[in-house]
Amino acid sequence: MINQEIQDTLNSQMNFEMYSANIYMSMATWFDAKNLVGFANWMKVQYSEEMFHFTKFYDYINERGGRVLLSGMDAPETEWDSPLAAFENALAHEMIVTGRINDLVIQATEAKDHATVNFLQWFVGEQVEEEASVDGVIQQLKLMEGAPGGLFMLDRELGQRIFTPPVKE
Ligand code: FEO
């Protein structure tokens, strides 16, 4: 069983993962409206990543005999000044997620809940990848500044991204 405080924080993070999914789907709609379908595809894959994270928290809370509770969430933003602004927004968001995961690890460690600390290690590693993958696109967008064909080329590249669910441990 998990203690009530940890259950509450895990539920909060589970809901934050769904909020993250909503943000990325909102970004996908913005890119689709600009006919940047490759960027939109990248965001839709990111949506699936976040829903995978959501489900991972859901299953863990359940497995530990806790009660999964969905909550309401803020509406995501719908407009960005540029593709770069959208990805910079995404990176800022991922850094918030990383901070929340780190806080959860501290809380679980202080509660001597080793199972939750162990569960969270997957997310610690995942956040390194999440930040790196968003930052990779930011660096490409910055490099191509002023190159007219660059956005088109990058759009084609991002259109190749596919969602591959990680193997369940
Ligand atoms: Fe679920 Fe992008 O962190």
Side-chain angles (χ1 to χ4, degrees), residues 24-35:
Y24 289 118
M25 193 55 91
S26 184
M27 288 179 176
T29 68
W30 185 79
F31 280 115
D32 264 327
K34 301 250 174 287
N35 288 317

Side-chain angles (χ1 to χ4, degrees), residues 10 57 101 104-105 108 115-125:
L10 288 170
F57 276 101
I101 297 290
L104 246 172
V105 172
T116 298
V117 172
N118 186 51
F119 164 75
L120 290 168
Q121 292 312 305
W122 186 88
F123 283 93
V124 171

Side-chain angles (χ1 to χ4, degrees), residues 17 46 50 53 94 97 127 130:
E17 298 291 347
Q46 193 59 32
E50 300 303 347
H53 299 167
E94 287 304 330
V97 175
Q127 280 311 116
E130 291 275 276

